[in-house]
């Protein structure tokens, strides 16, 4: 979809969209549009009893009088005093979805200044375009027989405002986020026969074009480093494991301690010998979402030339049952030196992260470390699909992450860490075991396991199992892969670590 920013004038072709604030008189531009159509808007507002400008409401007026427009769509914006960039993103998203299914190819969205709305008009216009692009994402690479009328129809989106060139400048930055998020969603959506450790590492290598330094450690290199926990998971698969290290140096001082992001990249999780039930197992193609988010984030930081040093480390493996697979009861030695009794081969993400995290802090001495993982089904039981679980050993880090998530609509909920939970993973035979004694507090127990591999550094863990994939459409996130975490962490970096730019 092509995006264009223009000044305020009467739209003269395709569909036109105008926002209506809750219980407010229409803005000046909307009143002009109303006059130009012999009062079509006034009549529609009077006739539609249930439309009063609440956020998310849509009121289509098909073939309005006099103007050569296919339709005018009035959209509710909610209360002016509650307006923020999310409102405008969601407007763009909702309109894109509506017009794509209506078969419109060209749309003009009018963004008008309103008394009492603090948001800068250029930012609002850019946010509308951003939301429309995010919602228009589709993974349709493998649909070879789709009928044209089922395909999204929008080709051209024009945003009209009083500040088109400032809006274009604001959008240029957001467009890099659109691209990084689409890239991440593609990686998460691809099936396990296409994306496996070597091909995912190759995708990470494409970040070199943005100035990211990419290194790929193969199995012998990981063996040399003593990564017995990660390699134990990989040993049942015919696909070789990979550890990818991505470095972006954008800070004034290129040697200053980096921010570190670590991702779980299980390209397919069968459960291994502790095999999962057949129903729904196909979902486990997205058990690499944590790694895809880290790769997408690194791409975005580099593409927008973020003024920080950042490192991304992703552990890529496939968890398969086979004659060479790890057995329940096996004891492996991690890079940290701690031995792990693997009592359930389906609790594999924590094993991969144990070595990836240890390697990252050992080599880079980061300011802090944040890991993302589709780690447990238990976090879905606890929080459903509305918050990711947040665990942290540092109050400031936790507060900053929660705040960044709230600002972009990727919400986190803090979960506890405590000694009492940690007792649950003491092993009779080794230093630690990879599962607790029962089903209680499964997500917390997994976080406690990770914490055993945190060596005196501020650390946060995001359990994104409930957020990486969505079964229904949301205003700026179509169903499927969400890329949850890319926007959150980009905002987190921009707000708290780029102050000196
Ligand atoms: N990848 C799964 C967690 C998961 C489940 C993600 C459902 C998304 C949707 C993880 O590797 C796993 O299998 N965890 C087990 C841990 C258990 C064996 C302690 C789980 O949650 O059941
Ligand atoms: Mn598993
Ligand atoms: Zn898993």
């Amino acid at each position: 979809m092509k995006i264009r920013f223009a000044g305020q004038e009467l739209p003269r072709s395709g569909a036109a969209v105008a926002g209506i604030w809750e219980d407010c008189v229409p803005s000046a531009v909307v009143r002009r549009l109303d006059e130009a159509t012999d009062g079509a808007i006034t009549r529609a507002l009077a006739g539609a009893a249930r439309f009063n400008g609440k956020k998310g409401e849509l009121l289509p007026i098909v073939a309005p009088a006099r103007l050569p427009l296919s339709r005018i769509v009035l959209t509710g914006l909610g209360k002016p005093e509650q307006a923020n960039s999310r409102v405008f993103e969601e407007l763009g998203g909702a309109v894109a979805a509506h017009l794509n299914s209506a078969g419109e190819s060209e749309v003009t969205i009018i963004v008008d200044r309103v008394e009492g709305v603090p948001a800068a008009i250029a930012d609002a216009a850019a946010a509308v375009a951003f939301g429309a692009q995010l919602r228009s994402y589709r993974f349709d690479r493998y649909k070879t027989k789709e009928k044209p009328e089922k395909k999204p129809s929008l080709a051209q989106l024009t945003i009209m405002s009083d500040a088109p060139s400032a809006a274009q400048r604001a959008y240029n930055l957001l467009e890099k986020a659109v691209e990084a998020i689409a890239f991440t969603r593609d990686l998460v959506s691809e099936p396990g026969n296409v994306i496996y450790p070597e091909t995912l590492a190759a995708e990470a290598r494409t970040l070199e074009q943005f100035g990211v330094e990419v290194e790929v450690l193969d199995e012998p290199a990981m063996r040399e480093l003593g990564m017995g926990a990660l390699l134990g998971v990989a040993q049942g698969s015919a696909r070789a494991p990979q550890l990818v290290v991505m470095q972006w140096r954008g800070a004034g001082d290129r040697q200053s301690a980096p921010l570190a992001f670590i991702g779980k990249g299980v390209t397919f999780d069968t459960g291994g010998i502790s095999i999962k039930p057949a129903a729904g197992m196909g979902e486990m193609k997205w058990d690499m979402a944590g790694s895809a988010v880290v790769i997408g984030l690194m791409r975005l930081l580099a593409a927008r030339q973020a003024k920080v040093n950042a490192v991304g480390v992703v552990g890529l493996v496939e968890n398969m049952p086979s004659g060479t697979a790890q057995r329940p009861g096996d004891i492996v030695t991690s890079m940290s030196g701690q031995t792990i009794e693997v009592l359930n081969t389906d609790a594999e993400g924590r094993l991969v992260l144990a070595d990836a995290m240890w390697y990252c802090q050992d080599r880079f001495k980061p300011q802090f470390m944040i890991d993302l993982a589709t780690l447990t089904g238990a976090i879905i039981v606890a929080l459903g699909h509305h918050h990711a679980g947040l665990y942290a050993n540092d109050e400031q880090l936790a507060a900053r992450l929660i705040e960044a998530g709230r600002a972009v609509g990727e919400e986190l909920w803090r979960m506890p860490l405590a000694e009492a939970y940690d007792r649950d993973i003491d092993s009779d035979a080794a230093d630690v075991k990879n599962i607790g004694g029962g089903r209680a507090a499964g997500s917390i127990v997994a976080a406690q396991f990770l914490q055993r591999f945190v060596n005196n550094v501020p650390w946060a863990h995001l359990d994104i199992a409930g957020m990486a994939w969505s079964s229904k459409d949301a205003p700026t996130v179509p169903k499927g892969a969400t890329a949850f975490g890319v926007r959150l962490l980009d905002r987190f970096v921009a707000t708290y670590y780029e102050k000196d730019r």
Side-chain angles (χ1 to χ4, degrees), residues 264 266 268-271 276 284 287-288 319 346-350 374-376:
K264 167 179 172 179
V266 176
F268 196 82
D269 181 13
T270 63
K276 289 181 180 295
M284 285 300 111
D287 207 21
M288 36 56 73
N319 189 20
D346 196 11
E348 84 298 339
R350 61 198 77 181
T374 48
L375 203 62
T376 66

Side-chain angles (χ1 to χ4, degrees), residues 129-429:
F130 186 39
Q133 290 286 51
L134 289 176
R135 179 62 182 274
S136 299
Y137 172 81
R138 258 181 129 227
F139 184 74
D140 53 10
R141 191 167 294 169
Y142 302 105
K143 284 186 162 293
T144 66
K145 298 203 155 72
E146 197 173 35
K147 296 199 173 68
E149 65 269 25
K150 295 266 180 192
K151 292 201 168 114
S153 53
L154 275 183
Q156 170 81 49
L157 167 60
T158 303
I159 320 282
M160 284 183 179
S161 74
D162 290 340
S165 39
Q168 178 71 58
R169 277 196 303 279
Y171 180 70
N172 290 344
L173 194 61
L174 296 176
E175 192 172 32
K176 299 189 192 317
V178 168
E179 287 161 3
I181 289 165
F183 175 61
T184 305
R185 288 176 178 168
D186 280 347
L187 296 179
V188 174
S189 305
E190 287 284 4
N193 62 327
V194 175
I195 284 291
Y196 47 88
E198 285 176 339
T199 54
L200 187 47
E203 292 291 339
R205 270 222 189 279
T206 66
L207 268 55
E208 285 173 343
Q209 66 185 293
F210 300 97
V212 177
E213 185 187 329
V214 182
E215 292 162 70
V216 180
L217 278 63
D218 61 5
E219 194 198 314
M222 287 189 270
R223 185 142 330 268
E224 188 68 29
L225 287 162
M227 296 189 174
L230 184 153
L231 292 175
V233 177
Q235 77 187 35
S237 171
R239 308 289 196 189
Q242 311 264 273
L243 188 92
V244 182
V245 181
M246 295 158 281
Q247 293 183 69
W248 165 249
R249 293 190 186 277
D253 175 4
R254 290 171 51 89
Q255 300 313 314
S256 65
L259 321 181
F261 303 96
I262 294 122
K264 167 179 172 179
V266 176
T267 60
F268 196 82
D269 181 13
T270 63
I273 296 299
S274 312
I275 198 162
K276 289 181 180 295
M281 201 200 279
E283 293 199 343
M284 285 300 111
K285 73 172 184 179
W286 49 262
D287 207 21
M288 36 56 73
S291 69
V293 168
V294 169
I295 296 168
L297 172 70
M298 293 302 294
R299 171 176 157 148
L300 177 52
L301 294 177
R304 67 172 184 78
Q305 302 270 305
K307 299 257 184 295
V308 290
N309 293 337
V311 49
V313 175
V314 295
L316 311 181
V317 300
E318 185 181 54
N319 189 20
M320 295 293 257
S322 75
T324 64
Q326 148 164 277
R327 292 147 290 260
D330 281 5
I331 297 176
V332 296
T333 303
S334 66
M335 185 183 174
S336 74
Q338 296 175 85
T339 55
I340 306 168
E341 186 181 17
V342 180
L343 288 174
N344 188 320
T345 64
D346 196 11
E348 84 298 339
R350 61 198 77 181
L351 299 169
V352 173
L353 287 173
D355 279 337
M357 287 179 11
W358 194 267
Y359 174 82
C360 180
Q361 59 199 327
D362 198 48
R363 175 169 170 195
F364 294 105
K365 314 279 184 274
Q367 285 182 47
F368 60 70
M369 178 162 81
I370 298 174
D371 78 81
L372 296 101
T374 48
L375 203 62
T376 66
I379 197 65
I380 308 177
V381 176
L383 300 178
H385 304 284
H386 301 294
H387 291 85
L390 165 68
Y391 296 85
N393 65 3
D394 183 275
E395 300 307 305
Q396 185 187 57
L397 192 55
R400 289 177 168 187
L401 286 164
I402 289 169
E403 189 49 43
R406 195 165 287 153
V408 301
E410 293 185 340
E411 304 240 24
L412 303 177
W413 194 265
R414 181 103 181 250
M415 301 282 288
L417 289 162
E419 182 68 32
Y421 297 110
D422 195 70
R423 294 283 64 77
D424 214 20
I425 49 173
D426 287 335
S427 160
D428 292 336

